[in-house]
Amino acid sequence: MKQSVSINWLNNMAFETILNGHKIILDASEDNGGENLGPRPKALMLVALGGCTGMDVVSILKKMRVEYKSLEIVVEGDTTDEHPKKFLKMKVNYNFTGINLPLDKIQKAVDLSRERYCGVYASYKDSIDIDNVINIING
Amino acid sequence: MKQSVSINWLNNMAFETILNGHKIILDASEDNGGENLGPRPKALMLVALGGCTGMDVVSILKKMRVEYKSLEIVVEGDTTDEHPKKFLKMKVNYNFTGINLPLDKIQKAVDLSRERYCGVYASYKDSIDIDNVINIING
């Protein structure tokens, strides 16, 4: 399946794209010649993974009729120190809050995302070591 | 080098993150149970690559004192048809407009990004086949 994005240079280090009708500006930090008009591009790799698996998990848990109060997905990434600073490892933390949440069903939803549905995870996993952790706060 | 992003579930299929101080909402399309409050996460993989190499190239060309009118980076991606829909190929098109632009210097800037600087390219290249094309419009 093909898809395509167009990213246009604005000025200095800033670029702009329209994605599914939504404008995103990317920029470098002041330390790197930019003006922080938008986020750094490489961090979007972490957001892509967290958003992808997050949507899988909420969709699967909805079908399982599992209800929770909140879900935060924290994606940590570890890059080389030298250029090019590629990601070596990532860790996806699924932080749920809710009353008596069923860990077995949540684990099943996370496993299905990793093994069957998440295209970002599948795109990364051959070159990046990706762990995951489920944290449940009862409340 | 470590970095981390926190992505919070809003409702339905929508998530929100604050990245370098800038809010990004992600959502599924209406066809997939969302409300298109923001872009799809997987397309951010293409934006990450285009933004990363784009910033490298404008930064290197600035040092080379190469001036141009516009730069559009089109990143095309090709995924499997079956779940998980992982990227197999990408193609990065560097579309420049300017007067008598020096192809050799532009090629050098693109090569430096691919080989030395772009951490997103380096993170993807072991699992995704990535081509690139430079197009120059004289005007």
Side-chain angles (χ1 to χ4, degrees), chain B residues 119-133:
Chain B
V120 178
Y121 179 79
S123 298
Y124 291 175
K125 75 182 173 64
D126 291 338
S127 49
I128 304 169
D129 180 26
I130 308 178
D131 278 344
N132 74 90
V133 177

Side-chain angles (χ1 to χ4, degrees), chain A residues 13-83:
Chain A
M13 296 286 272
F15 285 81
E16 178 181 297
T17 186
I18 307 287
L19 201 58
N20 306 120
H22 304 276
K23 183 162 82 169
I24 299 177
I25 291 178
L26 303 172
D27 198 2
S29 64
E30 285 90 347
D31 291 347
N32 286 297
E35 299 170 88
N36 188 28
L37 300 177
R40 264 38 94 212
K42 196 163 62 181
L44 291 180
M45 282 186 62
L46 303 176
V47 175
L49 178 60
C52 172
T53 187
M55 287 186 197
D56 288 344
V57 166
V58 299
S59 169
I60 295 165
L61 290 178
K62 189 176 180 185
K63 285 178 193 151
M64 292 178 173
R65 297 170 194 271
V66 173
E67 295 191 356
Y68 40 90
K69 276 191 196 152
S70 69
L71 167 58
E72 175 196 32
I73 298 185
V74 176
V75 186
E76 301 167 83
D78 205 347
T79 67
T80 54
D81 290 328
E82 300 300 317
H83 286 294

Side-chain angles (χ1 to χ4, degrees), chain B residues 61 64 66 100-111 134 136:
Chain B
L61 290 177
M64 292 177 173
V66 173
N100 295 330
L101 294 180
L103 177 57
D104 55 341
K105 289 184 178 177
I106 290 174
Q107 183 71 60
K108 178 77 180 164
V110 168
D111 291 347
I134 297 168
I136 295 180

Side-chain angles (χ1 to χ4, degrees), chain B residues 63-75:
Chain B
K63 285 177 192 152
M64 292 177 173
R65 296 170 195 272
V66 173
E67 294 191 355
Y68 41 90
K69 276 190 197 151
S70 69
L71 168 59
E72 176 196 32
I73 298 187
V74 176
V75 186

Side-chain angles (χ1 to χ4, degrees), chain B residues 16-35:
Chain B
E16 178 181 299
T17 186
I18 307 288
L19 203 57
N20 305 122
H22 304 277
K23 184 163 81 170
I24 299 177
I25 291 177
L26 304 172
D27 198 4
S29 64
E30 285 89 347
D31 292 347
N32 287 297
E35 298 170 85

